[in-house]
Amino acid sequence: MQDITDELRIASSAEDDVRRFIGEIQAYASITELDEAILNRLIDKIFISAVEVIDGEKVQKVRIVYNFVGEIEN
């Protein structure tokens, strides 16, 4: 019973975080330019990998960790 209660609490917390993130995104839906304030509000971390050459092209991977919801897989 305790495990189920813990899982429900975690799921409820995650749902609240997603709802907050959606509210934040909706507030910025019509922006045309990112600025420092918006980035700080929406994004927790940005990871940029070293340059790799793949099929003759230079490629860098970018991972974005958002506030409230974490990393969203592509």
Side-chain angles (χ1 to χ4, degrees):
M1 186 66 159
Q2 184 62 43
D3 290 343
I4 292 171
T5 302
D6 291 343
E7 286 184 37
L8 285 172
R9 188 175 330 113
I10 291 169
S12 177
S13 177
E15 183 179 342
D16 291 344
D17 288 343
V18 168
R19 287 182 192 276
R20 267 188 279 166
F21 183 73
I22 290 170
E24 291 292 327
I25 290 296
Q26 288 175 337
Y28 299 113
S30 63
I31 66 167
T32 58
E33 185 175 313
L34 286 175
D35 62 19
E36 183 179 349
I38 295 170
L39 288 175
N40 287 332
R41 186 72 182 143
L42 298 178
I43 296 175
D44 182 32
K45 300 173 194 162
I46 299 174
F47 298 99
I48 301 174
S49 72
V51 175
E52 298 178 64
V53 178
I54 300 175
D55 296 328
E57 291 188 36
K58 292 182 182 179
V59 177
Q60 279 184 290
K61 295 179 183 174
V62 176
R63 292 179 36 222
I64 301 173
V65 179
Y66 297 92
N67 287 320
F68 308 113
V69 295
E71 188 172 353
I72 298 173
E73 295 293 323
N74 295 338

